[in-house]
Amino acid sequence: MKTYIIIISFFFFVSSLIAQEKEKDTLFFGIDKYYTISPTITPNLSYKTYSDWIEVTKEQMDHTKTNGYISFIGDGYLTKNLKPKKILSIKEYIENRKFYYDGKYNQIVDKWKLKDSLTDKYIIYFVKGDEFIQPRILEYKSYYPRRDKDWNAVQNKVKDTLFFKLDNEYVYHWEDTPEEYFIKDSMGNERFFFKKAEILKTLKSKKLLNLKEFVQSSRFYNKDKQQKLSDHDLADFLSDYIIFFVNENKSEFIHVNPTLVVYD
């Protein structure tokens, strides 16, 4: 009897997954030469040197006027005989406030919003003539950080700003590295911390955030896991903001940069 119950339960579980997949709507996107980049449509898509990549992506940026592009790999099959009612521009679909990082100025696509509201929500096909390519892998890639002709790192300068109250209970630093601010939730081989860049006195913060609440309420923190914080994802996310710690006692605004270090 137990065997039958397990088999029946497994059958309904699989059926439920199939039903969920069938319930997804389908979106069809045209291929944009400069915005949808894929070895599936451009054979031998590789760059011999980093300088080659810089040149190619500079041309893409000049055409798209965006901070990144869509990279995808097809599932290995070319489907035919589909009849889409509408073929959309994926650049126009993605490059709007809906998918950008929160804030007033950001035009940087938040890959987590994209995952929730596009790649995990819909069945997607790219249209190439009378052929339809379903991506096996689809992700948004930023052009930044990149390097200039003198090999200096270049960051995207159009960012919104986050102000966090300096919480000495949650944020700490070692005596020999006073310019590095660690957080108590970062405890693995990958350690996330903030590195001080400068101190300013004349800024005004419209909204002062609690760093501990911000981290522990984010999608990068899971209290049920042994390693609760995904340091890499948090560092990646915060790197697209300008960040200040606010020391209210001294009326100081400490400009810090999110940093990640990996210990062997």
Side-chain angles (χ1 to χ4, degrees):
M1 179 63 70
K2 290 183 179 179
T3 303
Y4 289 130
I5 292 173
I6 292 172
I7 293 173
I8 292 171
S9 298
F10 179 75
F11 172 78
F12 281 113
F13 173 73
V14 173
S15 299
S16 175
L17 290 179
I18 294 173
Q20 289 176 20
E21 182 68 18
K22 288 182 178 179
E23 288 173 2
K24 287 185 178 180
D25 289 327
T26 302
L27 294 180
F28 296 89
F29 293 107
I31 291 173
D32 184 316
K33 177 182 177 182
Y34 297 102
Y35 192 78
T36 45
I37 311 300
S38 171
T40 303
I41 56 177
T42 306
N44 303 318
L45 184 66
S46 61
Y47 310 106
K48 295 180 181 179
T49 66
Y50 183 77
S51 297
D52 292 336
W53 180 84
I54 289 291
E55 286 300 315
V56 171
T57 54
K58 184 179 183 302
E59 182 182 5
Q60 291 170 201
M61 294 170 73
D62 289 342
H63 280 82
T64 64
K65 310 299 182 187
T66 60
N67 294 301
Y69 60 96
I70 287 295
S71 171
F72 77 90
I73 299 175
D75 62 1
Y77 301 95
L78 292 175
T79 304
K80 293 191 175 184
N81 301 320
L82 297 180
K83 296 181 179 180
K85 293 181 179 179
K86 189 175 184 180
I87 299 175
L88 305 170
S89 163
I90 194 166
K91 176 176 175 287
E92 292 179 3
Y93 190 92
I94 290 174
E95 296 292 339
N96 65 73
R97 182 59 54 192
K98 175 182 177 181
F99 289 117
Y100 290 161
Y101 276 82
D102 293 338
K104 184 178 180 180
Y105 304 103
N106 264 331
Q107 293 183 359
I108 304 170
V109 171
D110 183 339
K111 66 180 181 180
W112 301 103
K113 289 183 181 179
L114 195 66
K115 179 178 172 65
D116 290 341
S117 300
L118 180 64
T119 57
D120 284 357
K121 186 176 180 180
Y122 295 99
I123 297 171
I124 296 170
Y125 283 97
F126 287 103
V127 182
K128 184 182 180 184
D130 62 346
E131 298 175 335
F132 299 85
I133 306 167
Q134 186 171 12
R136 174 171 55 87
I137 298 173
L138 188 154
E139 57 186 346
Y140 181 88
K141 292 190 175 182
S142 175
Y143 293 122
Y144 297 95
R146 56 198 291 115
R147 294 188 180 275
D148 62 18
K149 61 181 180 179
D150 298 319
W151 209 245
N152 298 312
V154 178
Q155 297 283 348
N156 190 332
K157 295 181 180 180
V158 184
K159 299 180 181 181
D160 281 276
T161 303
L162 298 177
F163 295 93
F164 293 105
K165 181 179 179 180
L166 184 57
D167 178 359
N168 291 318
E169 293 295 321
Y170 185 65
V171 177
Y172 66 95
H173 57 78
W174 306 108
E175 289 186 5
D176 56 341
T177 55
E179 296 190 347
E180 296 178 354
Y181 297 86
F182 290 84
I183 62 174
K184 289 187 176 180
D185 282 316
S186 181
M187 297 180 291
N189 291 333
E190 288 187 335
R191 296 297 298 274
F192 168 79
F193 64 95
F194 297 93
K195 190 173 182 66
K196 182 166 71 175
E198 59 182 336
I199 296 178
L200 302 177
K201 293 279 189 178
T202 57
L203 294 181
K204 292 183 179 180
S205 57
K206 293 183 178 180
K207 185 177 182 180
L208 195 57
L209 302 172
N210 181 302
L211 180 59
K212 181 178 179 180
E213 291 178 0
F214 183 90
V215 171
Q216 294 186 354
S217 64
S218 73
R219 68 186 304 152
F220 315 117
Y221 182 88
N222 187 334
K223 65 179 181 179
D224 297 323
K225 289 185 176 181
Q226 183 176 358
Q227 179 67 38
K228 295 179 173 58
L229 181 65
S230 175
D231 296 75
H232 180 274
D233 289 333
L234 179 63
D236 184 52
F237 178 81
L238 288 177
S239 67
D240 285 318
Y241 286 96
I242 298 169
I243 298 174
F244 284 93
F245 285 153
V246 181
N247 187 335
E248 294 181 300
N249 294 331
K250 297 182 179 180
S251 299
E252 290 181 341
F253 294 83
I254 307 168
H255 181 202
V256 293
N257 294 315
T259 308
L260 188 73
V261 63
V262 180
Y263 296 105
D264 294 331

